[in-house]
Amino acid sequence: MSIRPVLEARNAVPTMEGAGVHLHRAFGFHDPSELDPFLLFDDFRNEIPAHYAKGFPWHPHRGIETITYVLSGEVDHADSLGNTGRLGAGDVQWMTAGSGIMHQEMPRGNASGQMHGFQLWANLPRDLKMTDPRYQDVAAKEIPEIIDDDGTRVRVVTGEFWGKRGPVDGIAADPQYLDVFVPAGVKKTLPVDTYRRAFAYVFEGQGAFADASAPSGVLLEKEVMGEEVNIRDMSGDRTLIRFGTGDSVTVQAGEEGIRFLLISGAPLQEPVAWHGPIVMNTKDEIRQAMSDLRNGTFIKPAH
């Protein structure tokens, strides 16, 4: 067993998107090779309706897949193909934009006004950039949850984990998307395929990941395979953890436990040309997409 070292631990950055939605961005619009095949990750969490109610009005996507996971509140969605729906707490939507789609996403708070969800963008490989768009809407009850003997809970959105397989399938990046809770004081090692890029995003409680870097340098110690491994300062809410290579991730939960997403996928290692919500391989393909938008030919007939 080889524990993945932590290459970086950093806080998500406040920003605004759509028609004025206040959110925190963990990564995106910088170096697309950093977490290839993933391009962007946003945490949209708020208790003030004015900071999210105007939502994400009609906008285009091409060449990517978007993964929306709702924890509280709801998201109403509609698209240029005539699809409509509503995502509630615990639900997931995996949208393959492919050759092009126009859609909108409008968040609504729960009875207390709270709204919380995540959106991840995954790149599509060159040969699937212009595939037909499709949706996979997955209800919370369809997502398997595993409870280990020590109280660790894992919801398996996609990929295979501890003998369970998530309901989302046919995704180009062949990802593993897990929602993990580790109880207070528990040390847990979770397997991750060696050939995938991987990151964790902490959104509740706190914990320490093996070899994590942190400014204050407080060390915890544990033994892995007979060798002493440094586990540094606790990572808390809205922290992105970027891992190096290995076949597992180790975390030591803090006093309140820790909940995080653990996401991994096979890197594409292809050129990236990026213009807002459109991600292709070349600048010429971006120019063609913008021309299609201007000419009203962005939405392509199904193959």
Side-chain angles (χ1 to χ4, degrees):
M1 180 182 296
S2 59
I3 304 298
R4 286 179 177 248
V6 171
L7 301 179
E8 181 183 20
R10 67 177 184 245
N11 295 329
V13 178
T15 188
M16 283 201 297
E17 281 292 353
V21 177
H22 295 239
L23 52 81
H24 283 72
R25 177 159 293 154
F27 63 88
F29 297 106
H30 292 296
D31 180 3
S33 68
E34 182 180 73
L35 284 165
D36 178 20
F38 305 113
L39 298 164
L40 175 146
F41 182 87
D42 284 343
D43 177 349
F44 51 97
R45 182 189 332 183
N46 216 292
E47 298 180 356
I48 305 173
H51 288 177
Y52 61 77
K54 293 183 180 179
F56 307 91
W58 293 98
H59 58 281
H61 283 295
R62 177 179 284 181
I64 64 171
E65 299 181 284
T66 67
I67 303 95
T68 306
Y69 180 26
V70 178
L71 292 184
S72 60
E74 297 174 330
V75 176
D76 291 328
H77 67 88
D79 69 41
S80 52
L81 303 178
N83 298 308
T84 60
R86 176 173 294 169
L87 300 176
D91 295 348
V92 172
Q93 181 191 85
W94 205 292
M95 184 195 76
T96 303
S99 61
I101 199 166
M102 301 287 293
H103 78 153
Q104 68 171 359
E105 299 151 304
M106 306 303 288
R108 304 193 313 171
N110 59 18
S112 302
Q114 296 171 327
M115 175 67 220
H116 190 189
F118 307 106
Q119 188 166 92
L120 173 70
W121 291 11
N123 202 2
L124 279 169
R126 187 191 304 271
D127 60 349
L128 292 176
K129 287 288 189 188
M130 298 299 286
T131 194
D132 290 340
R134 71 167 182 151
Y135 278 98
Q136 294 182 71
D137 283 348
V138 179
K141 63 183 180 182
E142 299 175 35
I143 299 174
E145 182 174 72
I146 307 164
I147 303 177
D148 206 7
D149 293 341
D150 60 10
T152 297
R153 298 196 309 268
V154 181
R155 297 188 80 215
V156 186
V157 175
T158 186
E160 191 166 345
F161 188 80
W162 286 347
K164 297 287 187 180
R165 186 156 195 89
V168 180
D169 62 8
I171 305 304
D174 189 26
Q176 187 181 61
Y177 191 122
L178 309 174
D179 178 350
V180 181
F181 170 75
V182 180
V186 171
K187 291 182 274 191
K188 199 70 178 175
T189 296
L190 306 167
V192 180
D193 188 286
T194 306
Y195 300 101
R196 299 170 186 262
R197 296 270 172 80
F199 71 91
Y201 182 76
V202 181
F203 61 94
E204 285 181 13
Q206 59 178 358
F209 291 83
D211 296 329
S213 59
S216 59
V218 175
L219 299 182
L220 302 173
E221 294 178 352
K222 79 181 291 289
E223 284 208 350
V224 177
M225 298 180 65
E227 295 183 5
E228 189 177 89
V229 176
N230 287 333
I231 298 181
R232 296 180 185 268
D233 261 359
M234 295 285 179
S235 293
D237 189 19
R238 294 194 176 106
T239 302
L240 173 76
I241 311 293
R242 190 164 62 89
F243 298 105
T245 57
D247 60 16
S248 58
V249 165
T250 293
V251 62
Q252 164 77 60
E255 294 180 356
E256 300 174 359
I258 184 172
R259 189 176 177 190
F260 58 94
L261 302 180
L262 181 59
I263 298 173
S264 61
L268 300 179
Q269 297 180 317
E270 293 183 352
V272 173
W274 193 340
H275 184 80
I278 298 170
V279 183
M280 304 300 288
N281 295 110
T282 69
K283 291 181 179 179
D284 283 345
E285 290 169 334
I286 293 291
R287 283 190 283 268
Q288 182 62 56
M290 302 310 294
S291 175
D292 289 346
L293 279 169
R294 290 191 298 270
N295 297 335
T297 58
F298 187 77
I299 306 302
K300 307 297 182 185
H303 291 96

